[in-house]
Amino acid sequence: MAYKYLLNEEDIPRKWYNLAADLPTPLQPPLGPDGNPISPDDLSAVFPMNLIEQEVSSDRWIDIPEEVLELLYRWRPSPLHRAVHLEKALNTPARIYYKNESVSPAGSHKPNTAVAQAWYNKQFGIKRLTTETGAGQWGSALSFAGALLGLEVKVYMVRISFDQKPFRKLMMQAWGGKCVASPSEETQAGRDILAAHPDTPGSLGIAISEAIEEAVGDSKGETRYSLGSVLNHVMLHQTIIGQEAQKQLSYAGEKNPDVVIGCAGGGSNFAGLAFPFVHEKINGAEIDIIPVEPASCPTLTRAPFAYDHGDVAQMTPLLPMYTLGHEFIPPPIHAGGLRYHGMAPLVSQAAVEGLIAPRSIHQRHCYESALMFARTEGLIVAPETSHAVGAAVDEAIKAREEGKEKVILFNLSGHGLMDLAGYDYYFSGEMEDYDLPEEELQKFTSVLDGYPKPSMAKTGNW
Amino acid sequence: MAYKYLLNEEDIPRKWYNLAADLPTPLQPPLGPDGNPISPDDLSAVFPMNLIEQEVSSDRWIDIPEEVLELLYRWRPSPLHRAVHLEKALNTPARIYYKNESVSPAGSHKPNTAVAQAWYNKQFGIKRLTTETGAGQWGSALSFAGALLGLEVKVYMVRISFDQKPFRKLMMQAWGGKCVASPSEETQAGRDILAAHPDTPGSLGIAISEAIEEAVGDSKGETRYSLGSVLNHVMLHQTIIGQEAQKQLSYAGEKNPDVVIGCAGGGSNFAGLAFPFVHEKINGAEIDIIPVEPASCPTLTRAPFAYDHGDVAQMTPLLPMYTLGHEFIPPPIHAGGLRYHGMAPLVSQAAVEGLIAPRSIHQRHCYESALMFARTEGLIVAPETSHAVGAAVDEAIKAREEGKEKVILFNLSGHGLMDLAGYDYYFSGEMEDYDLPEEELQKFTSVLDGYPKPSMAKTGNW
């Protein structure tokens, strides 16, 4: 028996899988401020046209350019591990596998789309990328990609994170990225906020506003904005994860897994692992596909499917998605990457269709499971990833109780070495679990009443 | 052309290589306080007898127990990368390869010996391990190993590092290790120091004293001490690195490399990569084998080969090695793992014999090279590793100037994600290079005058 399954470079998938081609009900379009569908041209000041084409594509398979593959080869294919030691500790008949995305130089799955986005921007003649970052994973990944392709990268980092996590800024700097605290003096949006609230800790919404303002304000047209989750082309770029896992499982002598698990904030690591299996499910395979979110930020499990902005500042188009409302402020749990009010439209639509079975989970159980994982398998996972570990542990225990030899696959989306403060808090014994009170949920989702409504239909019977 | 060369688990080396078997002049023994060679029994309160047997073995090949291999499979074999992008940036005809030891869960090569030592201790009936740590790499690695094997681990961490690097302590804690600031109230040595100097920042020497005191003071005999470098059995356990690299280079279509490079503090990552190639050199291959050290701590390049203690507190036996004197205090350069006054006896003896060609290097050149590496190959290396990168860059430029297609191999001993403060200092423009003044060297090495002298003979002509 092997402990891990490696692939050589020639085994890397050559195409991205686009779930939009296979959804029983087609994706509903993003809407502009007037409530009408927006056109690709409306987005052209923000994104390069080649990525906009991917964003709206309904082709099932999209070729990965050879030069993007060469960028990915720096760390891909990533290993698939069999979690033998965790299985023993849980005394479960289940076979647990995890796809290890923590081996990328930035420590997470984010570079899969960062290098692709940077490459397409460069092809389009773009010289500078702007973005925002909260916890810092995405800003690091885009800086890494910018270094490899010789693009300037400017990252607006939420001020409170900027101050609390100086090492993230240094990572970006090591890759040549410029990281500034947001709000900053460098944009009108930033200056306005600072004038009104000089001591603000900042927010992701403000940082997005600054990054977009800088991108669209470049008079030479050489700057674009880049987003690390939510959008269709981001989900697309991540599907390399699940396709590799399929090949590796077959080398391990497994058929389709019984359970596929990923944590879900904006949706990208979950989609990356899960969508190729959703494809199998649409074609008849029986697989439980589980996005896991914090109980304190229960987008897929408790929020409505509605049209909403992707950001607090309401700068983005209206997207059809599960959303807690763009003014929702999640409690300060430690998985910063899962504290997002919305969810990728593709993931949302898959949930509407019943193709995936969302689940929410408490953070103390996540840390408890992550520590069990660290002390058996050896890897210290990111706070976000601990949600996938927690659900995998639950499923393995369920398999033991049912006496079933299930195959469980989860995505180890990132290591936790840059985010150990959450572990400290857990060790202190003071970490609390949060459940969103129903009245809070009602309050935040009431802003959605004024927006157009997407249609909602479960067409299949999965 | 491939970008990296992976090995499957069945390709892992099954034996460790012991350079002691092949050195033209046998290693000279450690000496006790009376100046006489110490016996294995003298060490038995500190180390388990099975590791002491390895320490004094002159067998060329030592079987790696199957259970140790299974521990190593969690992350080994490690990848060998071809640094194509760095080659392009340097416009060199050289082919540069690096062995990526940063993929271990602890982020460095240290777990290679940590899991082996923990396993042998457990076999011997030991239940607790003590050790010291400076920068934190070794304390993390031993905590990791203790978690996998169910051994308690207690780490005495030099107080100033403990205070400056709270995340290292959390890493150890995540793996169940107990990390305390040294000097502590938990040992007589610690209490004595604290009584005299309540505000001391601590030192590696004090931490070693505390760790050994706790190990030998266990009345049940269930505790031993564990060291992460310098000793023969530590070098032995690391030779898996070079053996894997040999196999991977042959898969890449290469013969022996022309140049092999590793950074050298206590010597373990250098020895791990280099000793299997020293073996080839003894058997006739032409290879330049280069341990790289900081110019500020020039043990192999400027210090005498002498008998000296391994620690400031003079608790260890006298070891035959290149040494700056056990009272030497290196300037505050950022590669904490290279700030050691001595050098592994096996590495020292290889230098005496002329089998390896030590080199010293300045830290600003190291950081400059590490940034070039991060922005081409994508990996942010540890400050220690930047010394190997700096020397590899120098060798690649030399190959360009000579117009030679050399093959250069270096050890990427660890990533720098937990040690980014050095990059910050470099970016500030205030980082300085240090050269040890001759009068300082004389002052610190004068303590060696009172000790026995090892014989010194270069026997071969390499």
Side-chain angles (χ1 to χ4, degrees), chain A residues 1-9 70 72-77 81 85 88 98 103-107 144 147-148 164 167-177 371 374-380 415 417-421 423-424 427, chain B residues 1-9 70 72-77 81 85 88 98 103-107 144 147-148 164 167-177 371 374-380 415 417-421 423-424 427:
Chain A
M1 191 200 58
Y3 292 84
K4 47 188 184 327
Y5 298 88
L6 307 176
L7 296 176
N8 287 310
E9 285 160 14
E70 288 183 13
L72 293 168
Y73 288 152
R74 279 184 175 74
W75 73 98
R76 298 207 76 84
H81 299 248
H85 315 282
K88 273 192 201 142
Y98 59 96
V103 299
S104 82
F144 162 78
L148 304 190
Q164 286 176 351
F167 293 125
R168 277 285 177 193
K169 178 187 65 178
L170 290 171
M171 255 178 111
M172 299 181 220
Q173 246 182 306
W175 282 313
L371 285 173
R375 292 169 190 182
T376 51
E377 293 298 313
L379 282 161
I380 298 173
H415 66 63
L417 300 186
M418 304 293 291
D419 293 286
L420 287 161
Y423 285 90
D424 198 20
F427 291 136
Chain B
M1 189 200 62
Y3 292 84
K4 44 187 187 327
Y5 298 89
L6 306 176
L7 297 176
N8 286 310
E9 285 159 14
E70 288 184 13
L72 294 169
Y73 288 151
R74 279 185 175 74
W75 73 98
R76 299 206 75 85
H81 299 249
H85 315 282
K88 274 191 200 141
Y98 59 95
V103 299
S104 81
F144 162 77
L148 304 190
Q164 286 177 351
F167 294 123
R168 277 286 178 194
K169 178 188 66 179
L170 290 171
M171 254 178 110
M172 298 182 221
Q173 247 182 306
W175 282 313
L371 285 173
R375 292 170 190 184
T376 52
E377 292 299 312
L379 283 161
I380 298 175
H415 67 63
L417 300 186
M418 304 294 291
D419 292 286
L420 287 162
Y423 284 89
D424 198 20
F427 291 135

Side-chain angles (χ1 to χ4, degrees), chain B residues 149-332:
Chain B
L149 285 155
L151 294 178
E152 272 184 64
V153 172
K154 172 85 159 284
V155 180
Y156 289 90
M157 186 168 185
V158 176
R159 165 152 294 167
I160 187 164
S161 295
F162 184 92
D163 291 340
Q164 286 177 351
K165 300 187 171 193
F167 294 123
R168 277 286 178 194
K169 178 188 66 179
L170 290 171
M171 254 178 110
M172 298 182 221
Q173 247 182 306
W175 282 313
K178 187 174 176 200
C179 176
V180 297
S182 167
S184 75
E185 293 285 352
E186 306 197 17
T187 65
Q188 193 57 49
R191 287 188 293 271
D192 288 350
I193 295 276
L194 284 174
H197 309 282
D199 296 326
T200 176
S203 75
L204 216 45
I206 298 167
I208 292 175
S209 304
E210 292 204 280
I212 295 180
E213 180 185 325
E214 179 168 346
V216 305
D218 175 6
S219 59
K220 289 191 194 159
E222 293 177 344
T223 306
R224 290 293 184 281
Y225 168 74
S226 179
L227 191 64
S229 192
V230 180
L231 299 177
N232 301 340
H233 67 275
V234 180
M235 306 297 124
L236 182 77
H237 298 157
Q238 294 292 357
T239 59
I240 200 163
I241 302 172
Q243 292 182 72
E244 285 181 6
Q246 289 177 323
K247 200 172 279 193
Q248 288 162 314
L249 281 175
S250 79
Y251 290 171
E254 304 286 3
K255 304 215 171 75
N256 270 320
D258 299 291
V259 185
V260 173
I261 296 168
C263 63
S268 79
N269 96 76
F270 166 75
L273 179 69
F275 282 3
F277 293 99
V278 173
H279 183 227
E280 294 298 312
K281 187 163 179 168
I282 290 170
N283 289 307
E286 282 191 28
I287 315 175
D288 290 336
I289 302 176
I290 306 173
V292 187
E293 57 188 16
S296 56
C297 190
T299 314
L300 284 164
T301 46
R302 290 178 57 201
F305 180 63
Y307 265 114
D308 193 10
H309 295 287
D311 65 318
V312 188
Q314 305 174 57
M315 292 194 63
T316 76
L318 291 168
L319 300 171
M321 60 183 177
Y322 285 91
T323 173
L324 292 155
H326 58 263
E327 290 174 359
F328 178 71
I329 299 163

